[in-house]
Amino acid sequence: GDPILASDIKLPLFKNKAAAETVTNNAVLQNDDDFVLTLAVGTYSIKLWLHAFLTAWTAADIKTAWANTGTMTSLGRSCFGPAIATTTADDGNMRSTGHALATSVGYGLEATSTAVVCEELMISVTVAGTLTLQWAQNTATAGVGTTCSTASRIMVTEIEDL
């Protein structure tokens, strides 16, 4: 094959959440305030690290999905994080599953430790548009907040087939 030249390497784009964001008593997916990506035609590797916790111990948890405009095809969405049945973010009870972009994926949270949800996407864009992280409580719970902290971040790298 052809050699990979330094000029072929594209630097990743990186963004942290600007402010903590909390959803209370709501299981309807809403657009994240910060993670809205404008993508040109091309192929992208996208990595999300969502640091999340509950303001009190309940089964509120969190769920995520992705919405888009333009024409985007998922070449893979890999989801890793605490399973819904988790009672502590430190216990190793994890999910590792693959899903379509718009599929709602639930993760377990707790109030004493911040859990980390990792999602990795491969996206082919044939008509430019936006890709937006959506999230909500997995189970609407009055008086309890599900919070995504400023440690949450996303990295986007445009890639090409080898």
Side-chain angles (χ1 to χ4, degrees):
D2 294 331
I4 298 174
L5 305 174
S7 61
D8 294 329
I9 299 172
K10 298 177 182 175
L11 294 176
L13 301 174
F14 181 85
K15 183 177 187 177
N16 273 77
K17 278 194 74 55
E21 187 174 352
T22 301
V23 170
T24 301
N25 197 28
N26 192 344
V28 177
L29 290 167
Q30 52 96 33
N31 292 344
D32 183 83
D33 291 345
D34 297 296
F35 298 142
V36 179
L37 309 172
T38 300
L39 300 177
V41 172
T43 303
Y44 298 87
S45 171
I46 300 168
K47 296 176 180 163
L48 170 74
W49 296 270
L50 200 60
H51 289 238
F53 60 90
L54 300 173
T55 57
W57 179 251
T58 67
D61 297 322
I62 191 170
K63 63 183 173 185
T64 64
W66 297 84
N68 68 280
T69 64
T71 303
M72 299 184 189
T73 303
S74 173
L75 304 175
R77 176 184 175 201
S78 303
C79 303
F80 307 94
I84 288 293
T86 293
T87 57
T88 174
D90 302 327
D91 76 0
N93 183 13
M94 301 289 290
R95 78 171 307 134
S96 58
T97 54
H99 298 280
L101 289 176
T103 301
S104 176
V105 178
Y107 300 95
L109 300 181
E110 56 143 323
T112 58
S113 293
T114 299
V116 179
V117 169
C118 298
E119 294 198 10
E120 185 169 356
L121 314 172
M122 295 292 285
I123 304 290
S124 173
V125 180
T126 54
V127 176
T130 59
L131 179 67
T132 303
L133 172 68
Q134 297 183 312
W135 62 276
Q137 290 183 320
N138 195 55
T139 303
T141 305
V144 174
T146 297
T147 300
C148 292
S149 81
T150 56
S152 300
R153 58 202 180 275
I154 197 164
M155 186 169 59
V156 180
T157 307
E158 188 175 3
I159 59 174
E160 294 180 14
D161 290 334
L162 291 177

